[in-house]
Amino acid sequence: MSSRDQTDASPMEGDKTDAKGGDQTGALPPLPSASGGFGDKLGDKFQNIMTFEEFTADEYKMDHLNRGLAIVINNEVFSKELGLGARTGTYQDAVALNERFEDMGFDVQMHENVPVKEMVQILTKAAKDHNYNMNSDCFVCAILTHGEEGYVFGVDAKIETKQLLEPFKGNNCGSLVGKPKIFIIQACQGSQFDEGVAVDVADAKAKPAREVQVYKIPSEADFLIAYSVVPGYFSWRNSTNGSWFIQALSRVLGLHWQDMDLLTIMTRVNKIVAYEFESRTTKEYMNQKKQIPCITSMLTKEVRFKPKKK
């Protein structure tokens, strides 16, 4: 790596028991939301209907007419009030993802320097629009920005990451029930540096169903959230080449999107970021630091991106 490595961070700084002896939870009953959420629930009218074979399969159905929508939100320049530096190098990340997603058959939407309110509007609209384009495999969103643990930044403010996922949950977006919802987050999750640890390595030698039967699945199911770094740590970006995580992801997708499942792809990305990258900066306290991405999976099946027929 060159000496242009940077970080994507903000500045430093009783059990309820079922009387019948059934399942229990160690939490209080949920309180109603004061915010009203993300608009109307999108009921059964838009529900994705699967055959029993599709429901019980070990792979998601990926032979719909369309691959689906891929949204890339690329925030580079931020409001002066936030005190956040420009994310130089992020253009290379956005270009790499755009090319890769197009190769994979996605319809790509690129959004540059987006305020928080608009980020919410873009994703809420995408979830609602999906209900009128149900013949799609999945949904992908990549967010390239500054962040801190649990939050990402629009160009004017920060927002909880989980709020951006809300419109795509099964109880809000019926057409994506049982389909993969993939979020890629390139942002810091804290202000710690990963010093790394030395490892001694020995060189050994240099169809439609006629009847619909209702099954319940969790509304949080079928998400994969790929964070560029584990909670608590800085995420690195090179001002010339782009971020370690996105460039590694683009590389592995380019080689293996047609022959590997998504979790295997993400494991390869983890390996590249962990083994091949180390910070090179003129500031000693930031020099020779490491990074490991963090993949949170609620997938229930394998994701395999089979090529679309031209």
Side-chain angles (χ1 to χ4, degrees):
M1 298 297 300
S2 73
S3 60
R4 300 185 178 186
D5 292 327
Q6 304 172 1
T7 61
D8 277 329
S10 54
M12 295 282 192
E13 42 158 58
D15 286 358
K16 292 283 291 179
T17 305
D18 181 25
K20 297 182 180 179
D23 296 331
Q24 304 172 12
T25 176
L28 294 172
L31 295 175
S33 169
S35 67
F38 281 82
D40 298 334
K41 296 281 192 272
L42 300 170
D44 294 338
K45 177 180 177 183
F46 299 109
Q47 192 73 23
N48 178 39
I49 298 177
M50 294 180 280
T51 65
F52 182 76
E53 289 74 17
E54 291 167 2
F55 181 76
T56 56
D58 291 327
E59 294 181 18
Y60 289 102
K61 176 178 169 64
M62 299 294 278
D63 60 357
H64 294 87
L65 180 63
N66 305 307
R67 177 72 74 207
L69 178 63
I71 289 177
V72 179
I73 294 175
N74 180 34
N75 291 339
E76 180 176 4
V77 181
F78 298 80
S79 169
K80 290 182 180 180
E81 289 74 18
L82 295 177
L84 299 171
R87 299 182 60 256
T88 51
T90 192
Y91 174 77
Q92 284 75 8
D93 286 346
V95 168
L97 288 178
N98 180 70
E99 291 178 354
R100 200 60 61 232
F101 290 154
E102 285 187 346
D103 289 345
M104 295 167 70
F106 284 98
D107 297 317
V108 184
Q109 285 184 10
M110 301 287 291
H111 300 273
E112 305 283 339
N113 296 320
V114 186
V116 160
K117 184 177 180 181
E118 189 177 337
M119 289 171 70
V120 171
Q121 290 173 344
I122 288 168
L123 293 179
T124 304
K125 182 178 186 301
K128 289 185 175 181
D129 287 351
H130 197 282
N131 287 294
Y132 299 95
N133 185 20
M134 297 181 67
N135 201 5
S136 297
D137 294 336
C138 60
F139 172 79
V140 170
C141 176
I143 300 174
L144 318 175
T145 189
H146 283 300
E148 55 190 47
E149 188 168 352
Y151 292 83
V152 292
F153 279 84
V155 297
D156 60 340
K158 65 181 180 181
I159 184 172
E160 281 190 287
T161 308
K162 65 182 182 181
Q163 284 187 255
L164 300 178
L165 275 59
E166 188 68 28
F168 302 93
K169 291 181 181 178
N171 56 335
N172 289 326
C173 186
S175 67
L176 279 172
V177 170
K179 295 180 180 181
K181 297 161 277 280
I182 302 158
F183 284 78
I184 298 162
I185 312 292
Q186 168 57 47
C188 284
Q189 288 211 77
S191 57
Q192 298 181 60
F193 290 110
D194 190 334
E195 301 288 344
V197 59
V199 179
D200 295 326
V201 181
D203 190 356
K205 77 174 180 179
K207 279 184 190 181
R210 292 187 180 178
E211 259 179 58
V212 176
Q213 187 168 355
V214 177
Y215 293 84
K216 289 182 73 174
I217 62 173
S219 60
E220 308 269 358
D222 306 305
F223 279 87
L224 182 135
I225 305 144
Y227 297 95
S228 60
V229 71
V230 294
Y233 286 86
F234 283 114
S235 180
W236 288 94
R237 169 180 36 81
N238 186 274
S239 61
T240 300
N241 301 320
S243 67
W244 300 358
F245 174 61
I246 297 298
Q247 293 302 314
L249 175 60
S250 174
R251 175 173 148 193
V252 180
L253 283 174
L255 292 170
H256 295 296
W257 72 265
Q258 298 185 55
D259 58 51
M260 278 186 185
D261 73 277
L262 183 58
L263 280 178
T264 302
I265 286 172
M266 299 313 303
T267 302
R268 291 285 180 94
V269 172
N270 281 4
K271 180 181 179 182
I272 291 172
V273 175
Y275 289 8
E276 296 186 16
F277 289 90
E278 184 173 293
S279 66
R280 295 285 183 269
T281 80
T282 56
K283 298 176 181 178
E284 188 58 36
Y285 73 95
M286 300 175 74
N287 198 34
Q288 294 184 300
K289 306 308 180 188
K290 302 292 289 183
Q291 178 178 325
I292 183 68
C294 179
I295 313 303
T296 301
S297 174
M298 288 82 85
L299 298 175
T300 56
K301 304 173 187 179
E302 293 180 6
V303 178
R304 293 186 178 273
F305 296 102
K306 300 169 184 175
K308 293 292 183 191
K309 294 178 181 178
K310 299 290 184 181

